[in-house]
Amino acid sequence: MLLLQFSTSHYCRKARLGLGYKQINYKCENLTPGLHILRLRAMTGLKTLPVLLPQIEGQRSVIPDSTEILKFLENYQTEPSFLLPDYEQQTQAWMLEDWLDESVGTATRFVYYQFRAGEGKEIDPSVLSQIVISVVRQQYGINQASVGLAKNRLATAFSELSIRWEKNNYLVGNRLSVADIAAAALLSPLALIPEYRQGYPWLFERLVQVHELCHEPLPPGL
């Protein structure tokens, strides 16, 4: 299998966690932001990564979107499963996955790129890195006002996640699910931001545990 990705994307990390948990052999191809559209336009009709190319006879040739990749992996290889045996719990896990995907992951992006453009610039002050950060901030409308809203959204998310993760190793049920995979991936960029590392130590303990279960190297900052 071949995963088309941006190496620093938290949505691509989500796909890697799924592949790692299933212990499926795969390779990554890192695409260049902006130029990646030329590769994807004819392939998926979309502009976003990750995209999985199973390269297996009898299987779909192209799977775009991190959520669709998780669903494909579960159908392709059922064990170990990241679906829960209880229907109500699994429905809840998918609802959390969708919320994390559509709301929390976006908020993380805003806060992270604002940080990288300011006090976090020293992480990689290269011209290329700063150009990419500038393009992303312009593309998504990342500014002081939008980042303020994103921080509020993250604070609300942490209140919900703390109720679950501080009492249990997993967000739903008694084993890893798509909710844990989504949370561990989509919150991982915050590990580089001191105020979050210091303010939510329990969160990053869980992120480490999920990465270890998924055989995925820890994100920067952990």
Side-chain angles (χ1 to χ4, degrees):
M1 294 191 185
L2 178 64
L3 183 69
L4 305 181
Q5 66 163 12
F6 298 139
S7 61
T8 58
S9 165
H10 50 335
Y11 287 93
C12 295
R13 178 175 293 277
K14 181 179 157 195
R16 294 199 307 272
L17 288 172
L19 285 157
Y21 186 66
K22 295 286 188 179
Q23 298 189 52
I24 294 173
N25 291 326
Y26 71 98
K27 294 182 179 180
C28 289
E29 181 179 340
N30 295 321
L31 303 188
T32 302
L35 296 178
H36 76 286
I37 296 174
L38 301 176
R39 179 83 176 272
L40 298 185
R41 184 175 293 157
M43 184 181 296
T44 68
L46 303 172
K47 299 180 181 179
T48 56
L49 291 171
V51 171
L52 182 67
L53 308 180
Q55 302 176 319
I56 298 171
E57 185 176 354
Q59 298 291 337
R60 292 169 56 189
S61 59
V62 179
I63 297 97
D65 184 76
S66 60
T67 299
E68 293 303 310
I69 289 172
L70 293 183
K71 292 178 179 178
F72 168 80
L73 294 176
E74 183 66 23
N75 289 328
Y76 172 72
Q77 181 174 301
T78 56
E79 294 296 335
S81 177
F82 37 62
L83 299 184
L84 301 171
D86 181 87
Y87 175 79
E88 290 186 4
Q89 287 185 339
Q90 184 52 45
T91 299
Q92 188 176 26
W94 278 121
M95 289 179 64
L96 283 171
E97 189 271 350
D98 184 68
W99 167 63
L100 289 158
D101 216 53
E102 299 300 325
S103 178
V104 177
T106 300
T108 297
R109 178 191 287 129
F110 276 54
V111 171
Y112 174 72
Y113 279 101
Q114 183 79 347
F115 170 75
R116 288 294 308 278
E119 59 184 296
K121 185 176 181 179
E122 63 184 24
I123 293 172
D124 184 355
S126 68
V127 173
L128 178 59
S129 175
Q130 292 307 306
I131 289 175
V132 171
I133 290 169
S134 178
V135 169
V136 171
R137 294 180 74 240
Q138 183 176 7
Q139 178 182 357
Y140 291 103
I142 298 175
N143 53 45
Q144 186 172 355
S146 61
V147 169
L149 294 175
K151 287 185 174 182
N152 291 340
R153 193 184 303 173
L154 287 177
T156 300
F158 294 151
S159 295
E160 172 65 24
L161 294 175
S162 67
I163 295 172
R164 298 170 181 273
W165 256 344
E166 286 192 302
K167 295 180 180 179
N168 191 5
N169 287 332
Y170 306 103
L171 291 175
V172 184
N174 294 313
R175 73 183 199 195
L176 183 133
S177 73
V178 293
D180 299 291
I181 289 175
L186 300 180
L187 292 168
S188 63
L190 301 179
L192 286 169
I193 304 178
E195 69 176 281
Y196 289 102
R197 284 296 307 277
Q198 296 166 9
Y200 303 94
W202 56 267
L203 171 68
F204 298 100
E205 290 176 6
R206 291 291 181 259
L207 265 60
V208 168
Q209 291 173 358
V210 173
H211 278 73
E212 290 175 345
L213 283 171
C214 294
H215 313 282
E216 170 70 14
L218 296 178
L222 293 178

